[in-house]
Amino acid sequence: MVKLNKIYTRTGDDGTTGLVDGSRLPKHAARMEAVGAVDEANAALGFAAQVIEGAHHADLVRLLNDMFDLGADLATPAGEGADFAPSEMELRIIPSQVEWVEQRIDAVNADLEPLTSFILPGGSEAAARLHLARTAARRAERAVSALAAEEPVNPAAAQFINRLSDYLFVLCRAVNNGGAGDVLWTPGANR
């Protein structure tokens, strides 16, 4: 269980931060960039959840928790050949978390008309907030990809963040009156 009595520790004053395994990294390291980008995406997700109701709200609350799991996964380095199996000391994203997001994408998308144009971020306030969360998730995905180019990353973690942005995209359309409120891109409209 996590217990935080003191919020500041001064251990990061030298420009480093601690990982789950007790090691320290520079705050600008690729691993910390990935962890920070996931945290930022999660904050955007929480901002969006404030204006979403019903089953979609419950999904977002679940994803907020899963995003913390993702941050913990990324904050736990693994050596070459690691199997990324969760343990009592290592919290890992697991395939069933990825599968759940895929199932939600399929369920939400089933009620939407196929796209005939790219859409612009906006429409309703809820969709605009979800688009913000979607783009933050894409940035987190790029950061996880950059980390994976340097060090081993749990494949399920990379899949999860990739699916999250897809889920948020279809959810944007769903909260925009099932896509009827989508703002369509008109290429070259202002030339």
Side-chain angles (χ1 to χ4, degrees):
M1 176 192 284
V2 175
K3 183 177 180 182
L4 301 173
N5 287 332
K6 191 170 183 179
I7 301 304
Y8 64 91
T9 62
R10 297 187 175 115
T11 58
D13 291 351
D14 65 354
T16 66
T17 194
L19 298 175
V20 173
D21 66 359
S23 64
R24 298 193 69 77
L25 284 179
K27 291 184 180 195
H28 60 273
R31 181 168 301 281
M32 297 321 304
E33 182 61 34
V35 170
V38 165
D39 188 32
E40 185 177 347
N42 206 22
L45 196 60
F47 182 64
Q50 297 303 305
V51 295
I52 308 291
E53 297 177 349
H56 296 313
H57 178 80
D59 287 353
L60 293 176
V61 169
R62 176 183 171 141
L63 288 167
L64 286 166
N65 197 77
D66 285 351
M67 287 291 280
F68 254 79
D69 289 357
L70 177 59
D73 186 324
L74 295 170
T76 307
E80 290 295 326
D83 66 2
F84 294 100
S87 69
E88 194 172 308
M89 295 305 295
E90 293 184 355
L91 183 60
R92 299 290 184 191
I93 293 291
I94 58 173
S96 64
Q97 288 171 288
V98 177
E99 292 161 7
W100 181 86
V101 179
E102 290 173 346
Q103 291 166 2
R104 295 308 304 138
I105 293 167
D106 293 342
V108 173
N109 200 43
D111 295 331
L112 301 174
E113 292 294 321
L115 282 172
T116 58
S117 172
F118 287 108
I119 61 173
L120 303 177
S124 66
E125 178 185 358
R129 288 183 184 208
L130 287 166
H131 275 293
L132 183 64
R134 176 187 60 78
T135 60
R138 284 283 189 222
R139 180 175 37 250
E141 182 182 5
R142 291 189 303 271
V144 170
S145 176
L147 173 61
E150 294 181 12
E151 300 179 46
V153 169
N154 179 1
Q159 293 165 357
F160 179 85
I161 193 64
N162 179 267
R163 298 306 184 282
L164 176 64
S165 57
D166 294 336
Y167 169 73
L168 294 172
F169 178 77
V170 297
L171 189 56
C172 289
R173 297 196 64 222
V175 303
N176 259 347
N177 194 22
D182 288 342
V183 180
L184 302 180
W185 175 44
T186 306
N190 300 310
R191 289 185 184 170

